[in-house]
Each structure stands twice: as C-alpha cells, then as structure tokens.
Amino acid sequence: MQSAALMSVYVLTIIAVQAIGAVASKLVETQWPSAGLATFLLIFMAEFGVAWPLAVRITEWGIRAAGYRVDGVDA
C-alpha cells in the first residue's frame, strides 16, 4: 500500500512540476523567443531527478503523520 501511495504522489509531483515548467518557459519565451524551448527542455529533464526525492519525503511524512511505520526504514 505504501508503494502505491508513493507512486501516486510521484505522478502528482511530476504533474505539478511540469505545470510550473510550462508557465516558466512561456514567461521566458515572451522575453527571449529562442530560449523558450531550451528552458522547457531543461526543466522537463530536471523534473524527474527532483520529483522522486520530493515524492519520497512527502509520502514518508504522510505515512508517519497517519501513525504508521514506513516500510524498509530502520528507525
């Protein structure tokens, strides 16, 4: 069950970061039209490295806040 929660949080985190990236690239494109695509691609590639640790922390916090023990953690 905890793995399903983690994957759900990961997908939602990816969607949120992707939305932020789309808005940021549009803002950059209004000032520098040639840099909009590069900005989008940079944020798109970086989001996968940023979203996973963020999703893990959010999920662990949610599991502990609900009063359960996190599987696989020696604490």
Side-chain angles (χ1 to χ4, degrees):
M1 189 65 183
Q2 292 181 7
S3 59
L6 176 59
M7 292 308 297
S8 300
V9 171
Y10 179 62
V11 169
L12 292 174
T13 306
I14 287 288
I15 291 170
V17 174
Q18 185 64 32
I20 292 168
V23 169
S25 67
K26 284 294 183 185
L27 291 174
V28 168
E29 191 173 356
T30 60
Q31 296 296 317
W32 301 284
S34 61
L37 179 60
T39 303
F40 176 78
L41 291 175
L42 179 70
I43 294 171
F44 180 78
M45 296 305 287
E47 78 184 33
F48 294 105
V50 171
W52 183 254
L54 185 60
V56 169
R57 289 180 187 254
I58 291 170
T59 306
E60 284 182 352
W61 173 81
I63 291 168
R64 288 189 177 116
Y68 295 103
R69 195 171 143 243
V70 178
D71 289 342
V73 177
D74 299 324

